[in-house]
Amino acid sequence: MIALVRLRLAGFVRTGRALAPVLAGLLALGILYGGGRARPAEAYGVSAVVLFPVLAWQTKILLDIEPDVQRRLAQVVVGPARERAAGLLAATLAGLAVVAVALVLPWPLGGLTPAAGPDGRPALVGVALGLWAHLLALPAAVALGALASRAITRSAGYGVAVLAVGSVGFVVFGLSGSLVPWLVPPLMATARAVTGPVASGTGLLLTGWAALWSAVALAGYAWVRRTRA
């Protein structure tokens, strides 16, 4: 399975398909941090929200690179479950690379305040909260991208529609006062939470919420892939 992960990552990079989401992410981060300095926790919370559709799009591109015939051959060689897991693992590793860039890039751009903020919170604590926010967003983004992949939607148009509806929906339903916030991962709630002191109970609730949402979405992806095998 590791060889299959490497194969998909290599194909993603060597074909140049990785360039589009990388440029989109860099553009979004450049716009975000080009307007002045902000405290790390607040800036990273917004960064996780902004990068969510980029990470989902990147996942879809990575999963769609492999031709259908080659994907079926991989299922025969390593088994359907490992073939699906290899794709998701490759997408997660690619997403982690984007998260690393998102955490480092603001510093040379001068977009973050290195000193403690008015609340006395050290910058290092803000960076830790930012990492947490991005790691909550990544599995949900991978799940959305997988649901938008060609193996599920069977159509480029439907795939784009899934990405668009999912990306807009997580903002709309994640707004403060939403009646059905559980329909989407808690990215907006996390961005609001990191602006102030994050209680341990709140952190555990948001982490559990994000994990459950991602698990349900990935279970749906696996179920559809099984039924269409």
Side-chain angles (χ1 to χ4, degrees), residues 15-73:
T15 59
R17 302 291 180 85
L19 188 60
V22 167
L23 290 178
L26 291 176
L27 177 61
L29 293 174
I31 294 174
L32 176 62
Y33 294 111
R37 290 189 172 189
R39 284 178 289 173
E42 296 177 357
Y44 284 138
V46 177
S47 169
V49 172
V50 169
L51 286 180
F52 177 79
V54 176
L55 291 170
W57 180 35
Q58 177 177 268
T59 298
K60 173 176 168 51
I61 294 175
L62 190 151
L63 294 178
D64 286 352
I65 288 176
E66 194 173 43
D68 294 336
V69 174
Q70 185 174 333
R71 186 172 63 247
R72 295 190 184 98
L73 289 175

Short mmCIF file of all heavy atoms in Angstrom, two decimals, residues 15-73:
data_model
loop_
_atom_site.label_atom_id
_atom_site.label_comp_id
_atom_site.label_asym_id
_atom_site.label_seq_id
_atom_site.Cartn_x
_atom_site.Cartn_y
_atom_site.Cartn_z
N THR A 15 2.92 15.20 -12.91
CA THR A 15 2.01 15.63 -13.98
C THR A 15 1.71 17.12 -13.91
O THR A 15 1.05 17.66 -14.81
CB THR A 15 0.69 14.85 -13.91
OG1 THR A 15 0.08 15.07 -12.63
CG2 THR A 15 0.92 13.36 -14.13
N GLY A 16 2.16 17.78 -12.86
CA GLY A 16 1.90 19.20 -12.73
C GLY A 16 0.53 19.53 -12.16
O GLY A 16 0.18 20.71 -12.01
N ARG A 17 -0.24 18.49 -11.79
CA ARG A 17 -1.58 18.74 -11.26
C ARG A 17 -1.53 19.41 -9.88
O ARG A 17 -2.50 20.03 -9.46
CB ARG A 17 -2.36 17.42 -11.14
CG ARG A 17 -2.49 16.66 -12.45
CD ARG A 17 -3.40 17.36 -13.43
NE ARG A 17 -3.53 16.62 -14.67
CZ ARG A 17 -4.38 15.63 -14.88
NH1 ARG A 17 -5.19 15.26 -13.89
NH2 ARG A 17 -4.44 15.02 -16.05
N ALA A 18 -0.39 19.26 -9.19
CA ALA A 18 -0.28 19.87 -7.86
C ALA A 18 -0.13 21.38 -7.93
O ALA A 18 -0.34 22.08 -6.94
CB ALA A 18 0.92 19.28 -7.12
N LEU A 19 0.21 21.90 -9.11
CA LEU A 19 0.51 23.32 -9.23
C LEU A 19 -0.71 24.20 -8.97
O LEU A 19 -0.61 25.23 -8.29
CB LEU A 19 1.08 23.60 -10.61
CG LEU A 19 1.64 25.01 -10.85
CD1 LEU A 19 2.77 25.31 -9.88
CD2 LEU A 19 2.12 25.15 -12.29
N ALA A 20 -1.87 23.80 -9.50
CA ALA A 20 -3.06 24.66 -9.39
C ALA A 20 -3.50 24.88 -7.94
O ALA A 20 -3.66 26.03 -7.52
CB ALA A 20 -4.20 24.06 -10.22
N PRO A 21 -3.70 23.82 -7.14
CA PRO A 21 -4.08 24.07 -5.75
C PRO A 21 -3.00 24.77 -4.95
O PRO A 21 -3.30 25.57 -4.05
CB PRO A 21 -4.39 22.68 -5.19
CG PRO A 21 -3.70 21.72 -6.09
CD PRO A 21 -3.70 22.37 -7.44
N VAL A 22 -1.72 24.50 -5.25
CA VAL A 22 -0.64 25.18 -4.53
C VAL A 22 -0.68 26.67 -4.81
O VAL A 22 -0.58 27.51 -3.89
CB VAL A 22 0.73 24.58 -4.93
CG1 VAL A 22 1.85 25.48 -4.45
CG2 VAL A 22 0.88 23.19 -4.34
N LEU A 23 -0.83 27.05 -6.07
CA LEU A 23 -0.91 28.47 -6.42
C LEU A 23 -2.14 29.12 -5.80
O LEU A 23 -2.08 30.27 -5.33
CB LEU A 23 -0.92 28.64 -7.94
CG LEU A 23 0.39 28.31 -8.67
CD1 LEU A 23 0.22 28.47 -10.16
CD2 LEU A 23 1.51 29.21 -8.16
N ALA A 24 -3.26 28.40 -5.81
CA ALA A 24 -4.48 28.94 -5.20
C ALA A 24 -4.29 29.17 -3.71
O ALA A 24 -4.71 30.19 -3.17
CB ALA A 24 -5.65 28.00 -5.46
N GLY A 25 -3.64 28.22 -3.05
CA GLY A 25 -3.38 28.36 -1.63
C GLY A 25 -2.44 29.52 -1.33
O GLY A 25 -2.68 30.30 -0.40
N LEU A 26 -1.37 29.64 -2.13
CA LEU A 26 -0.44 30.74 -1.92
C LEU A 26 -1.09 32.09 -2.17
O LEU A 26 -0.85 33.06 -1.45
CB LEU A 26 0.77 30.57 -2.84
CG LEU A 26 1.71 29.41 -2.52
CD1 LEU A 26 2.81 29.30 -3.58
CD2 LEU A 26 2.34 29.57 -1.14
N LEU A 27 -1.95 32.16 -3.18
CA LEU A 27 -2.66 33.40 -3.47
C LEU A 27 -3.59 33.78 -2.33
O LEU A 27 -3.62 34.94 -1.89
CB LEU A 27 -3.45 33.26 -4.77
CG LEU A 27 -4.31 34.47 -5.18
CD1 LEU A 27 -3.43 35.68 -5.40
CD2 LEU A 27 -5.12 34.14 -6.43
N ALA A 28 -4.32 32.78 -1.83
CA ALA A 28 -5.24 33.05 -0.72
C ALA A 28 -4.48 33.51 0.53
O ALA A 28 -4.89 34.47 1.21
CB ALA A 28 -6.06 31.80 -0.41
N LEU A 29 -3.38 32.85 0.83
CA LEU A 29 -2.59 33.23 2.00
C LEU A 29 -1.92 34.59 1.80
O LEU A 29 -1.81 35.38 2.75
CB LEU A 29 -1.52 32.17 2.29
CG LEU A 29 -2.05 30.81 2.75
CD1 LEU A 29 -0.90 29.81 2.86
CD2 LEU A 29 -2.77 30.92 4.08
N GLY A 30 -1.48 34.87 0.58
CA GLY A 30 -0.88 36.16 0.31
C GLY A 30 -1.86 37.30 0.51
O GLY A 30 -1.52 38.35 1.08
N ILE A 31 -3.10 37.09 0.06
CA ILE A 31 -4.14 38.11 0.26
C ILE A 31 -4.47 38.24 1.75
O ILE A 31 -4.65 39.35 2.27
CB ILE A 31 -5.39 37.75 -0.55
CG1 ILE A 31 -5.08 37.83 -2.04
CG2 ILE A 31 -6.55 38.68 -0.19
CD1 ILE A 31 -6.20 37.35 -2.93
N LEU A 32 -4.55 37.10 2.43
CA LEU A 32 -4.91 37.10 3.84
C LEU A 32 -3.89 37.87 4.68
O LEU A 32 -4.26 38.67 5.55
CB LEU A 32 -5.03 35.67 4.35
CG LEU A 32 -5.31 35.47 5.84
CD1 LEU A 32 -6.64 36.09 6.23
CD2 LEU A 32 -5.28 33.99 6.20
N TYR A 33 -2.61 37.63 4.43
CA TYR A 33 -1.57 38.23 5.27
C TYR A 33 -1.00 39.52 4.69
O TYR A 33 -0.11 40.12 5.31
CB TYR A 33 -0.45 37.22 5.48
CG TYR A 33 -0.88 36.03 6.29
CD1 TYR A 33 -0.99 34.77 5.71
CD2 TYR A 33 -1.21 36.17 7.63
CE1 TYR A 33 -1.39 33.67 6.45
CE2 TYR A 33 -1.62 35.07 8.38
CZ TYR A 33 -1.70 33.83 7.78
OH TYR A 33 -2.12 32.76 8.52
N GLY A 34 -1.49 39.92 3.54
CA GLY A 34 -0.96 41.14 2.93
C GLY A 34 -1.58 42.41 3.48
O GLY A 34 -1.10 43.51 3.19
N GLY A 35 -2.62 42.29 4.28
CA GLY A 35 -3.31 43.48 4.77
C GLY A 35 -2.80 44.01 6.09
O GLY A 35 -3.34 45.00 6.59
N GLY A 36 -1.80 43.41 6.67
CA GLY A 36 -1.28 43.87 7.95
C GLY A 36 -1.07 42.72 8.91
O GLY A 36 -1.36 41.56 8.60
N ARG A 37 -0.56 43.05 10.09
CA ARG A 37 -0.24 42.02 11.08
C ARG A 37 -1.45 41.66 11.92
O ARG A 37 -2.34 42.48 12.16
CB ARG A 37 0.89 42.50 11.99
CG ARG A 37 2.23 42.58 11.29
CD ARG A 37 3.33 42.85 12.29
NE ARG A 37 4.65 42.73 11.68
CZ ARG A 37 5.77 42.75 12.37
NH1 ARG A 37 5.75 42.90 13.69
NH2 ARG A 37 6.93 42.63 11.76
N ALA A 38 -1.47 40.40 12.37
CA ALA A 38 -2.51 39.92 13.27
C ALA A 38 -1.89 38.95 14.25
O ALA A 38 -0.79 38.44 14.04
CB ALA A 38 -3.62 39.24 12.48
N ARG A 39 -2.58 38.69 15.35
CA ARG A 39 -2.10 37.72 16.32
C ARG A 39 -2.18 36.32 15.71
O ARG A 39 -3.10 36.02 14.95
CB ARG A 39 -2.93 37.80 17.60
CG ARG A 39 -2.58 39.00 18.46
CD ARG A 39 -3.44 39.06 19.69
NE ARG A 39 -4.82 39.41 19.36
CZ ARG A 39 -5.81 39.41 20.23
NH1 ARG A 39 -5.62 39.04 21.47
NH2 ARG A 39 -7.02 39.76 19.85
N PRO A 40 -1.22 35.45 16.01
CA PRO A 40 -1.15 34.14 15.35
C PRO A 40 -2.43 33.32 15.43
O PRO A 40 -2.87 32.76 14.43
CB PRO A 40 0.01 33.45 16.08
CG PRO A 40 0.88 34.56 16.53
CD PRO A 40 -0.05 35.68 16.89
N ALA A 41 -3.03 33.23 16.62
CA ALA A 41 -4.22 32.38 16.76
C ALA A 41 -5.35 32.85 15.86
O ALA A 41 -5.99 32.05 15.16
CB ALA A 41 -4.68 32.37 18.23
N GLU A 42 -5.60 34.15 15.84
CA GLU A 42 -6.68 34.69 15.01
C GLU A 42 -6.38 34.48 13.52
O GLU A 42 -7.26 34.07 12.75
CB GLU A 42 -6.87 36.16 15.31
CG GLU A 42 -7.32 36.45 16.74
CD GLU A 42 -7.44 37.93 17.01
OE1 GLU A 42 -7.12 38.73 16.10
OE2 GLU A 42 -7.85 38.31 18.12
N ALA A 43 -5.15 34.79 13.13
CA ALA A 43 -4.78 34.66 11.72
C ALA A 43 -4.84 33.22 11.26
O ALA A 43 -5.36 32.92 10.18
CB ALA A 43 -3.38 35.23 11.51
N TYR A 44 -4.32 32.31 12.07
CA TYR A 44 -4.33 30.90 11.68
C TYR A 44 -5.75 30.33 11.67
O TYR A 44 -6.06 29.43 10.88
CB TYR A 44 -3.45 30.09 12.63
CG TYR A 44 -1.98 30.24 12.38
CD1 TYR A 44 -1.08 30.39 13.44
CD2 TYR A 44 -1.46 30.21 11.10
CE1 TYR A 44 0.28 30.51 13.23
CE2 TYR A 44 -0.10 30.34 10.87
CZ TYR A 44 0.76 30.49 11.93
OH TYR A 44 2.11 30.62 11.71
N GLY A 45 -6.61 30.81 12.55
CA GLY A 45 -7.99 30.36 12.53
C GLY A 45 -8.67 30.70 11.22
O GLY A 45 -9.38 29.87 10.63
N VAL A 46 -8.44 31.92 10.73
CA VAL A 46 -8.98 32.32 9.43
C VAL A 46 -8.31 31.54 8.31
O VAL A 46 -8.95 31.15 7.33
CB VAL A 46 -8.82 33.83 9.23
CG1 VAL A 46 -9.31 34.25 7.84
CG2 VAL A 46 -9.58 34.60 10.31
N SER A 47 -7.01 31.32 8.44
CA SER A 47 -6.27 30.57 7.42
C SER A 47 -6.84 29.17 7.23
O SER A 47 -6.97 28.69 6.10
CB SER A 47 -4.79 30.48 7.83
OG SER A 47 -4.09 29.57 7.02
N ALA A 48 -7.20 28.50 8.33
CA ALA A 48 -7.77 27.16 8.22
C ALA A 48 -9.09 27.18 7.46
O ALA A 48 -9.39 26.28 6.66
CB ALA A 48 -7.98 26.57 9.62
N VAL A 49 -9.89 28.23 7.69
CA VAL A 49 -11.16 28.37 6.97
C VAL A 49 -10.91 28.62 5.49
O VAL A 49 -11.55 28.02 4.61
CB VAL A 49 -11.99 29.52 7.58
CG1 VAL A 49 -13.22 29.81 6.73
CG2 VAL A 49 -12.41 29.18 9.00
N VAL A 50 -9.97 29.51 5.18
CA VAL A 50 -9.68 29.88 3.80
C VAL A 50 -9.12 28.69 3.01
O VAL A 50 -9.44 28.50 1.83
CB VAL A 50 -8.70 31.06 3.76
CG1 VAL A 50 -8.18 31.30 2.35
CG2 VAL A 50 -9.37 32.32 4.29
N LEU A 51 -8.29 27.88 3.66
CA LEU A 51 -7.64 26.77 2.97
C LEU A 51 -8.53 25.53 2.83
O LEU A 51 -8.18 24.62 2.08
CB LEU A 51 -6.35 26.38 3.69
CG LEU A 51 -5.17 27.34 3.53
CD1 LEU A 51 -3.97 26.82 4.31
CD2 LEU A 51 -4.80 27.51 2.06
N PHE A 52 -9.64 25.48 3.55
CA PHE A 52 -10.49 24.29 3.50
C PHE A 52 -10.90 23.93 2.06
O PHE A 52 -10.71 22.77 1.64
CB PHE A 52 -11.72 24.49 4.38
CG PHE A 52 -12.70 23.35 4.32
CD1 PHE A 52 -12.48 22.19 5.04
CD2 PHE A 52 -13.83 23.43 3.54
CE1 PHE A 52 -13.38 21.13 4.98
CE2 PHE A 52 -14.74 22.39 3.47
CZ PHE A 52 -14.50 21.23 4.20
N PRO A 53 -11.47 24.86 1.27
CA PRO A 53 -11.83 24.47 -0.10
C PRO A 53 -10.62 24.13 -0.96
O PRO A 53 -10.72 23.29 -1.87
CB PRO A 53 -12.57 25.71 -0.63
CG PRO A 53 -12.17 26.82 0.25
CD PRO A 53 -11.90 26.22 1.59
N VAL A 54 -9.47 24.76 -0.69
CA VAL A 54 -8.26 24.45 -1.45
C VAL A 54 -7.81 23.02 -1.17
O VAL A 54 -7.46 22.27 -2.09
CB VAL A 54 -7.14 25.45 -1.11
CG1 VAL A 54 -5.85 25.07 -1.83
CG2 VAL A 54 -7.55 26.87 -1.47
N LEU A 55 -7.84 22.62 0.10
CA LEU A 55 -7.45 21.26 0.46
C LEU A 55 -8.43 20.23 -0.12
O LEU A 55 -8.03 19.15 -0.55
CB LEU A 55 -7.39 21.13 1.98
CG LEU A 55 -6.26 21.90 2.67
CD1 LEU A 55 -6.46 21.90 4.19
CD2 LEU A 55 -4.91 21.30 2.32
N ALA A 56 -9.72 20.55 -0.12
CA ALA A 56 -10.72 19.64 -0.70
C ALA A 56 -10.50 19.51 -2.21
O ALA A 56 -10.57 18.40 -2.77
CB ALA A 56 -12.12 20.16 -0.40
N TRP A 57 -10.24 20.63 -2.86
CA TRP A 57 -9.98 20.62 -4.31
C TRP A 57 -8.72 19.81 -4.62
O TRP A 57 -8.69 19.02 -5.56
CB TRP A 57 -9.86 22.06 -4.79
CG TRP A 57 -9.59 22.22 -6.26
CD1 TRP A 57 -10.06 21.43 -7.27
CD2 TRP A 57 -8.78 23.22 -6.89
NE1 TRP A 57 -9.60 21.88 -8.48
CE2 TRP A 57 -8.82 22.98 -8.28
CE3 TRP A 57 -8.06 24.31 -6.39
CZ2 TRP A 57 -8.14 23.80 -9.18
CZ3 TRP A 57 -7.39 25.12 -7.30
CH2 TRP A 57 -7.44 24.86 -8.67
N GLN A 58 -7.68 20.00 -3.83
CA GLN A 58 -6.44 19.26 -4.02
C GLN A 58 -6.68 17.76 -3.89
O GLN A 58 -6.14 16.96 -4.67
CB GLN A 58 -5.40 19.72 -3.00
CG GLN A 58 -4.09 18.95 -3.05
CD GLN A 58 -3.07 19.48 -2.08
OE1 GLN A 58 -2.26 20.33 -2.41
NE2 GLN A 58 -3.08 18.98 -0.86
N THR A 59 -7.50 17.36 -2.92
CA THR A 59 -7.82 15.95 -2.74
C THR A 59 -8.52 15.39 -3.96
O THR A 59 -8.20 14.29 -4.44
CB THR A 59 -8.69 15.76 -1.49
OG1 THR A 59 -7.97 16.18 -0.34
CG2 THR A 59 -9.11 14.31 -1.33
N LYS A 60 -9.49 16.12 -4.48
CA LYS A 60 -10.21 15.67 -5.67
C LYS A 60 -9.27 15.50 -6.85
O LYS A 60 -9.34 14.48 -7.57
CB LYS A 60 -11.32 16.66 -6.03
CG LYS A 60 -12.01 16.35 -7.37
CD LYS A 60 -13.14 17.28 -7.65
CE LYS A 60 -13.61 17.15 -9.10
NZ LYS A 60 -13.87 15.75 -9.50
N ILE A 61 -8.38 16.47 -7.06
CA ILE A 61 -7.44 16.38 -8.17
C ILE A 61 -6.55 15.15 -8.02
O ILE A 61 -6.32 14.40 -8.97
CB ILE A 61 -6.58 17.66 -8.25
CG1 ILE A 61 -7.45 18.87 -8.61
CG2 ILE A 61 -5.47 17.50 -9.27
CD1 ILE A 61 -6.70 20.18 -8.59
N LEU A 62 -6.03 14.94 -6.82
CA LEU A 62 -5.13 13.80 -6.59
C LEU A 62 -5.84 12.47 -6.84
O LEU A 62 -5.28 11.57 -7.48
CB LEU A 62 -4.59 13.86 -5.17
CG LEU A 62 -3.45 12.91 -4.81
CD1 LEU A 62 -2.57 13.51 -3.73
CD2 LEU A 62 -3.98 11.56 -4.32
N LEU A 63 -7.07 12.35 -6.36
CA LEU A 63 -7.80 11.09 -6.53
C LEU A 63 -8.26 10.88 -7.97
O LEU A 63 -8.49 9.74 -8.38
CB LEU A 63 -9.01 11.07 -5.60
CG LEU A 63 -8.71 11.04 -4.10
CD1 LEU A 63 -10.00 11.06 -3.29
CD2 LEU A 63 -7.88 9.83 -3.73
N ASP A 64 -8.39 11.97 -8.74
CA ASP A 64 -8.88 11.85 -10.12
C ASP A 64 -7.77 11.64 -11.13
O ASP A 64 -8.05 11.41 -12.31
CB ASP A 64 -9.67 13.11 -10.50
CG ASP A 64 -11.05 13.15 -9.85
OD1 ASP A 64 -11.43 12.14 -9.23
OD2 ASP A 64 -11.72 14.19 -9.96
N ILE A 65 -6.50 11.76 -10.71
CA ILE A 65 -5.40 11.61 -11.66
C ILE A 65 -5.35 10.20 -12.24
O ILE A 65 -5.19 10.01 -13.44
CB ILE A 65 -4.05 11.92 -10.96
CG1 ILE A 65 -3.94 13.41 -10.70
CG2 ILE A 65 -2.89 11.47 -11.83
CD1 ILE A 65 -2.70 13.79 -9.95
N GLU A 66 -5.53 9.23 -11.39
CA GLU A 66 -5.39 7.83 -11.81
C GLU A 66 -6.54 7.42 -12.72
O GLU A 66 -7.71 7.61 -12.37
CB GLU A 66 -5.37 6.94 -10.57
CG GLU A 66 -4.90 5.53 -10.82
CD GLU A 66 -4.75 4.76 -9.52
OE1 GLU A 66 -5.64 4.88 -8.67
OE2 GLU A 66 -3.76 4.06 -9.37
N PRO A 67 -6.25 6.87 -13.89
CA PRO A 67 -7.32 6.39 -14.76
C PRO A 67 -8.15 5.30 -14.09
O PRO A 67 -7.67 4.58 -13.21
CB PRO A 67 -6.56 5.85 -15.98
CG PRO A 67 -5.23 6.50 -15.93
CD PRO A 67 -4.92 6.71 -14.48
N ASP A 68 -9.40 5.16 -14.51
CA ASP A 68 -10.29 4.19 -13.89
C ASP A 68 -9.76 2.76 -14.01
O ASP A 68 -9.87 1.97 -13.07
CB ASP A 68 -11.69 4.27 -14.53
CG ASP A 68 -12.37 5.60 -14.24
OD1 ASP A 68 -12.01 6.23 -13.22
OD2 ASP A 68 -13.24 6.01 -15.02
N VAL A 69 -9.19 2.44 -15.17
CA VAL A 69 -8.66 1.08 -15.36
C VAL A 69 -7.50 0.82 -14.40
O VAL A 69 -7.41 -0.26 -13.79
CB VAL A 69 -8.21 0.89 -16.82
CG1 VAL A 69 -7.52 -0.47 -16.98
CG2 VAL A 69 -9.40 0.99 -17.76
N GLN A 70 -6.62 1.79 -14.25
CA GLN A 70 -5.49 1.62 -13.33
C GLN A 70 -5.98 1.49 -11.89
O GLN A 70 -5.41 0.73 -11.10
CB GLN A 70 -4.55 2.82 -13.46
CG GLN A 70 -3.28 2.69 -12.63
CD GLN A 70 -2.31 3.82 -12.88
OE1 GLN A 70 -2.30 4.40 -13.96
NE2 GLN A 70 -1.50 4.13 -11.89
N ARG A 71 -7.03 2.23 -11.54
CA ARG A 71 -7.57 2.13 -10.19
C ARG A 71 -8.14 0.73 -9.94
O ARG A 71 -7.97 0.17 -8.86
CB ARG A 71 -8.64 3.19 -9.98
CG ARG A 71 -9.17 3.25 -8.53
CD ARG A 71 -10.08 4.42 -8.29
NE ARG A 71 -11.28 4.36 -9.09
CZ ARG A 71 -11.59 5.21 -10.06
NH1 ARG A 71 -10.75 6.18 -10.37
NH2 ARG A 71 -12.70 5.08 -10.76
N ARG A 72 -8.80 0.17 -10.94
CA ARG A 72 -9.34 -1.19 -10.78
C ARG A 72 -8.23 -2.22 -10.66
O ARG A 72 -8.34 -3.20 -9.90
CB ARG A 72 -10.26 -1.52 -11.95
CG ARG A 72 -11.52 -0.66 -12.02
CD ARG A 72 -12.49 -1.18 -13.06
NE ARG A 72 -13.64 -0.31 -13.19
CZ ARG A 72 -13.79 0.62 -14.12
NH1 ARG A 72 -12.83 0.79 -15.04
NH2 ARG A 72 -14.86 1.38 -14.18
N LEU A 73 -7.15 -2.02 -11.40
CA LEU A 73 -6.01 -2.92 -11.28
C LEU A 73 -5.40 -2.84 -9.89
O LEU A 73 -5.00 -3.86 -9.30
CB LEU A 73 -4.95 -2.57 -12.34
CG LEU A 73 -5.29 -2.92 -13.79
CD1 LEU A 73 -4.22 -2.40 -14.72
CD2 LEU A 73 -5.46 -4.43 -13.97
#
